[in-house]
PDB file of all heavy atoms in Angstrom:
ATOM      1  N   GLY B 348      17.181  -2.272 -10.169  1.00 80.00           N
ATOM      2  CA  GLY B 348      17.455  -2.369  -8.745  1.00 80.00           C
ATOM      3  C   GLY B 348      18.055  -1.124  -8.141  1.00 80.00           C
ATOM      4  O   GLY B 348      18.906  -1.184  -7.244  1.00 80.00           O
ATOM      5  N   PHE B 349      17.613   0.033  -8.634  1.00 82.00           N
ATOM      6  CA  PHE B 349      18.131   1.319  -8.151  1.00 82.00           C
ATOM      7  C   PHE B 349      18.027   1.440  -6.630  1.00 82.00           C
ATOM      8  O   PHE B 349      18.973   1.831  -5.945  1.00 82.00           O
ATOM      9  CB  PHE B 349      17.355   2.449  -8.832  1.00 82.00           C
ATOM     10  CG  PHE B 349      17.734   3.826  -8.372  1.00 82.00           C
ATOM     11  CD1 PHE B 349      18.896   4.433  -8.819  1.00 82.00           C
ATOM     12  CD2 PHE B 349      16.934   4.526  -7.483  1.00 82.00           C
ATOM     13  CE1 PHE B 349      19.249   5.708  -8.398  1.00 82.00           C
ATOM     14  CE2 PHE B 349      17.276   5.785  -7.059  1.00 82.00           C
ATOM     15  CZ  PHE B 349      18.430   6.387  -7.509  1.00 82.00           C
ATOM     16  N   TYR B 350      16.832   1.101  -6.077  1.00 81.00           N
ATOM     17  CA  TYR B 350      16.616   1.203  -4.628  1.00 81.00           C
ATOM     18  C   TYR B 350      17.585   0.289  -3.867  1.00 81.00           C
ATOM     19  O   TYR B 350      18.167   0.672  -2.861  1.00 81.00           O
ATOM     20  CB  TYR B 350      15.171   0.829  -4.284  1.00 81.00           C
ATOM     21  CG  TYR B 350      14.216   1.985  -4.313  1.00 81.00           C
ATOM     22  CD1 TYR B 350      13.973   2.680  -5.494  1.00 81.00           C
ATOM     23  CD2 TYR B 350      13.560   2.402  -3.155  1.00 81.00           C
ATOM     24  CE1 TYR B 350      13.108   3.745  -5.521  1.00 81.00           C
ATOM     25  CE2 TYR B 350      12.683   3.481  -3.185  1.00 81.00           C
ATOM     26  CZ  TYR B 350      12.462   4.147  -4.372  1.00 81.00           C
ATOM     27  OH  TYR B 350      11.605   5.191  -4.380  1.00 81.00           O
ATOM     28  N   ASP B 351      17.698  -0.947  -4.369  1.00 84.00           N
ATOM     29  CA  ASP B 351      18.549  -1.931  -3.672  1.00 84.00           C
ATOM     30  C   ASP B 351      20.013  -1.466  -3.642  1.00 84.00           C
ATOM     31  O   ASP B 351      20.709  -1.651  -2.638  1.00 84.00           O
ATOM     32  CB  ASP B 351      18.446  -3.291  -4.362  1.00 84.00           C
ATOM     33  CG  ASP B 351      17.022  -3.823  -4.330  1.00 84.00           C
ATOM     34  OD1 ASP B 351      16.288  -3.467  -3.383  1.00 84.00           O
ATOM     35  OD2 ASP B 351      16.659  -4.575  -5.234  1.00 84.00           O
ATOM     36  N   LYS B 352      20.454  -0.851  -4.744  1.00 86.00           N
ATOM     37  CA  LYS B 352      21.848  -0.398  -4.807  1.00 86.00           C
ATOM     38  C   LYS B 352      22.106   0.728  -3.801  1.00 86.00           C
ATOM     39  O   LYS B 352      23.131   0.749  -3.125  1.00 86.00           O
ATOM     40  CB  LYS B 352      22.171   0.077  -6.221  1.00 86.00           C
ATOM     41  CG  LYS B 352      22.232  -1.043  -7.240  1.00 86.00           C
ATOM     42  CD  LYS B 352      22.473  -0.500  -8.642  1.00 86.00           C
ATOM     43  CE  LYS B 352      22.467  -1.637  -9.666  1.00 86.00           C
ATOM     44  NZ  LYS B 352      22.629  -1.128 -11.048  1.00 86.00           N
ATOM     45  N   ILE B 353      21.163   1.677  -3.728  1.00 86.00           N
ATOM     46  CA  ILE B 353      21.339   2.790  -2.785  1.00 86.00           C
ATOM     47  C   ILE B 353      21.364   2.283  -1.346  1.00 86.00           C
ATOM     48  O   ILE B 353      22.217   2.669  -0.533  1.00 86.00           O
ATOM     49  CB  ILE B 353      20.207   3.832  -2.955  1.00 86.00           C
ATOM     50  CG1 ILE B 353      20.403   4.597  -4.256  1.00 86.00           C
ATOM     51  CG2 ILE B 353      20.218   4.813  -1.787  1.00 86.00           C
ATOM     52  CD1 ILE B 353      19.415   5.717  -4.463  1.00 86.00           C
ATOM     53  N   ILE B 354      20.407   1.395  -1.010  1.00 86.00           N
ATOM     54  CA  ILE B 354      20.326   0.877   0.365  1.00 86.00           C
ATOM     55  C   ILE B 354      21.573   0.077   0.727  1.00 86.00           C
ATOM     56  O   ILE B 354      22.069   0.142   1.849  1.00 86.00           O
ATOM     57  CB  ILE B 354      19.060   0.020   0.534  1.00 86.00           C
ATOM     58  CG1 ILE B 354      17.812   0.923   0.427  1.00 86.00           C
ATOM     59  CG2 ILE B 354      19.044  -0.698   1.869  1.00 86.00           C
ATOM     60  CD1 ILE B 354      16.514   0.172   0.365  1.00 86.00           C
ATOM     61  N   ALA B 355      22.118  -0.667  -0.254  1.00 88.00           N
ATOM     62  CA  ALA B 355      23.330  -1.451  -0.004  1.00 88.00           C
ATOM     63  C   ALA B 355      24.533  -0.549   0.266  1.00 88.00           C
ATOM     64  O   ALA B 355      25.352  -0.832   1.138  1.00 88.00           O
ATOM     65  CB  ALA B 355      23.623  -2.361  -1.201  1.00 88.00           C
ATOM     66  N   LEU B 356      24.630   0.570  -0.479  1.00 89.00           N
ATOM     67  CA  LEU B 356      25.747   1.498  -0.308  1.00 89.00           C
ATOM     68  C   LEU B 356      25.547   2.440   0.882  1.00 89.00           C
ATOM     69  O   LEU B 356      26.506   2.833   1.548  1.00 89.00           O
ATOM     70  CB  LEU B 356      25.940   2.324  -1.586  1.00 89.00           C
ATOM     71  CG  LEU B 356      26.423   1.555  -2.821  1.00 89.00           C
ATOM     72  CD1 LEU B 356      26.342   2.450  -4.060  1.00 89.00           C
ATOM     73  CD2 LEU B 356      27.848   1.064  -2.628  1.00 89.00           C
ATOM     74  N   HIS B 357      24.268   2.816   1.119  1.00 89.00           N
ATOM     75  CA  HIS B 357      23.969   3.799   2.162  1.00 89.00           C
ATOM     76  C   HIS B 357      22.778   3.315   2.991  1.00 89.00           C
ATOM     77  O   HIS B 357      21.648   3.772   2.799  1.00 89.00           O
ATOM     78  CB  HIS B 357      23.669   5.164   1.539  1.00 89.00           C
ATOM     79  CG  HIS B 357      24.682   5.602   0.530  1.00 89.00           C
ATOM     80  ND1 HIS B 357      25.957   6.021   0.870  1.00 89.00           N
ATOM     81  CD2 HIS B 357      24.616   5.656  -0.835  1.00 89.00           C
ATOM     82  CE1 HIS B 357      26.613   6.327  -0.223  1.00 89.00           C
ATOM     83  NE2 HIS B 357      25.834   6.116  -1.280  1.00 89.00           N
ATOM     84  N   PRO B 358      22.999   2.404   3.909  1.00 90.00           N
ATOM     85  CA  PRO B 358      21.875   1.796   4.663  1.00 90.00           C
ATOM     86  C   PRO B 358      21.123   2.754   5.583  1.00 90.00           C
ATOM     87  O   PRO B 358      20.033   2.435   6.023  1.00 90.00           O
ATOM     88  CB  PRO B 358      22.570   0.696   5.495  1.00 90.00           C
ATOM     89  CG  PRO B 358      24.010   1.100   5.542  1.00 90.00           C
ATOM     90  CD  PRO B 358      24.297   1.827   4.264  1.00 90.00           C
ATOM     91  N   THR B 359      21.672   3.942   5.833  1.00 91.00           N
ATOM     92  CA  THR B 359      20.977   4.886   6.728  1.00 91.00           C
ATOM     93  C   THR B 359      19.964   5.757   5.998  1.00 91.00           C
ATOM     94  O   THR B 359      19.252   6.546   6.631  1.00 91.00           O
ATOM     95  CB  THR B 359      21.994   5.799   7.430  1.00 91.00           C
ATOM     96  OG1 THR B 359      22.715   6.538   6.428  1.00 91.00           O
ATOM     97  CG2 THR B 359      22.947   4.984   8.283  1.00 91.00           C
ATOM     98  N   ILE B 360      19.896   5.622   4.675  1.00 88.00           N
ATOM     99  CA  ILE B 360      18.936   6.430   3.898  1.00 88.00           C
ATOM    100  C   ILE B 360      17.506   6.019   4.261  1.00 88.00           C
ATOM    101  O   ILE B 360      17.167   4.840   4.276  1.00 88.00           O
ATOM    102  CB  ILE B 360      19.160   6.223   2.383  1.00 88.00           C
ATOM    103  CG1 ILE B 360      20.514   6.803   1.975  1.00 88.00           C
ATOM    104  CG2 ILE B 360      18.057   6.892   1.577  1.00 88.00           C
ATOM    105  CD1 ILE B 360      20.603   8.301   2.053  1.00 88.00           C
ATOM    106  N   SER B 361      16.639   7.004   4.536  1.00 87.00           N
ATOM    107  CA  SER B 361      15.238   6.732   4.909  1.00 87.00           C
ATOM    108  C   SER B 361      14.369   6.559   3.673  1.00 87.00           C
ATOM    109  O   SER B 361      14.791   6.868   2.551  1.00 87.00           O
ATOM    110  CB  SER B 361      14.684   7.879   5.766  1.00 87.00           C
ATOM    111  OG  SER B 361      14.553   9.062   4.974  1.00 87.00           O
TER     112      SER B 361
END
Side-chain angles (χ1 to χ4, degrees):
F349 177 77
Y350 271 63
D351 299 332
K352 290 177 183 177
I353 288 185
I354 293 171
L356 292 171
H357 311 288
T359 60
I360 293 292
S361 68

